[in-house]
Amino acid sequence: MERDVSSYNTYNYGDALYWDARYVQEASSFDWYQRYSSLRPFVRSFIPTSSRVLMVGCGNSLMSEDMVKDGYEDIMNIDISSVAIELMRTKYAYVPQLKYMQMDVRDMSFFPDESFDSVIDKGTLDSLMCGNDAPLSAARMLGEVSRLIKPGGTYMLVTYGDPKVRMPHLTRPVYNWKTSLYIIRKPGFQRPAGSGCSGKSYMEPIPVTSEGLLPQEYVLEDPDSHFIYVCKKTKEMDAAHVPLMNGVF
């Protein structure tokens, strides 16, 4: 299995002009892939409410608002689109827990090293993988994300990309990440009649092979599932002794 949204590329999704035009036309709130209600178990499990959180590619999503309602205290939201940022900055001017800045995830040098406890990415890496110079853009973004996360902090990636197309980008030793994989069904998915219940909790990490792939016998219940990679930044002194992925067999 190999599934990556870049195969559907018709626009340069890494271009601010594309997103500015899109947000002018589509100003109403929109959440990519999953809403906070579905992701809440993961967010609450891996990101304490006291964390300083960076939401990359925030767009006009309700995710950050919902997190504040759930007790999160400090969320910096960035997006390449100045149109989206201005809309959101105006909308949430009365919410001190939410801050908004126009910024390209490939260059977040405005922030010092280890500025955040956690980084959340819901579709932003995917958008770069659909743009020009995708591998270089991905490396620049992930390098910046790694730089900004404190040791012990978490990068949570929600993506369409399965392990075959995402693990090669996430498992570079320089990031010092220990990565766990989870799979969540697309909103609205219904099991075929008579299929019964799988009996597995979607909060259980999925075992991957030593190459970072899904086991050959693993079958996705929903072929349009979303993949959640939880990348924990290890302490630099221990990085050489910590495996890059858990659940390896």
Side-chain angles (χ1 to χ4, degrees):
M1 178 184 66
E2 181 173 351
R3 184 155 58 84
D4 189 350
V5 291
S6 61
S7 61
Y8 305 109
N9 178 33
T10 55
Y11 302 100
N12 182 9
Y13 292 115
D15 189 340
L17 293 177
Y18 166 80
W19 291 107
D20 283 345
R22 180 161 177 166
Y23 287 118
V24 167
Q25 296 172 0
E26 304 173 15
S28 58
S29 298
F30 179 78
D31 270 282
W32 291 91
Y33 304 164
Q34 301 278 341
R35 295 180 179 177
Y36 180 62
S37 56
S38 299
L39 297 174
R40 183 180 186 271
F42 297 97
V43 176
R44 291 302 297 256
S45 292
F46 301 111
I47 302 177
T49 54
S50 59
S51 299
R52 188 181 187 211
V53 178
L54 176 64
M55 185 75 67
V56 295
C58 64
N60 56 9
S61 167
L62 295 176
M63 176 92 169
S64 294
E65 174 188 339
D66 290 340
M67 287 179 64
V68 169
K69 290 177 179 177
D70 200 25
Y72 286 86
E73 304 168 359
D74 187 357
I75 305 177
M76 171 62 73
N77 301 270
I78 68 167
D79 198 280
I80 198 171
S81 170
S82 59
V83 173
I85 291 299
E86 193 55 38
L87 285 170
M88 301 299 275
R89 186 180 286 149
T90 300
K91 181 178 180 179
Y92 294 111
Y94 66 97
V95 183
Q97 298 94 329
L98 296 177
K99 304 172 186 66
Y100 289 86
M101 291 187 66
Q102 190 275 333
M103 193 174 296
D104 188 330
V105 293
R106 291 165 291 194
D107 180 7
M108 296 185 282
S109 53
F110 176 85
F111 300 122
D113 294 357
E114 301 180 4
S115 292
F116 296 93
D117 300 292
S118 304
V119 175
I120 298 177
D121 171 6
K122 193 153 62 82
T124 299
L125 181 62
D126 285 0
S127 71
L128 291 181
M129 294 302 296
C130 294
N132 297 329
D133 300 319
L136 178 59
S137 288
R140 286 177 174 172
M141 172 187 166
L142 294 174
E144 282 288 83
V145 168
S146 176
R147 179 182 69 81
L148 293 180
I149 296 176
K150 298 175 183 177
T154 300
Y155 170 47
M156 183 177 293
L157 169 65
V158 184
T159 170
Y160 266 125
D162 71 27
K164 188 171 185 179
V165 297
R166 287 294 175 267
M167 279 297 196
H169 297 283
L170 297 175
T171 55
R172 295 182 63 193
V174 68
Y175 300 147
N176 292 337
W177 288 342
K178 181 181 180 183
T179 302
S180 301
L181 170 65
Y182 301 84
I183 297 178
I184 186 170
R185 296 184 296 270
K186 186 176 180 179
F189 171 78
Q190 295 183 349
R191 291 189 183 90
S195 63
C197 178
S198 66
K200 288 187 176 181
S201 168
Y202 66 99
M203 288 298 297
E204 293 181 24
I206 306 299
V208 293
T209 68
S210 57
E211 291 78 29
L213 307 180
L214 289 173
Q216 193 170 20
E217 67 276 9
Y218 189 89
V219 178
L220 284 175
E221 185 178 28
D222 173 12
D224 293 322
S225 292
H226 297 126
F227 299 84
I228 299 175
Y229 300 88
V230 177
C231 307
K232 187 89 168 179
K233 186 174 182 180
T234 62
K235 293 183 179 179
E236 202 165 341
M237 66 182 70
D238 299 330
H241 306 288
V242 178
L244 287 170
M245 293 165 283
N246 69 357
V248 175
F249 69 96

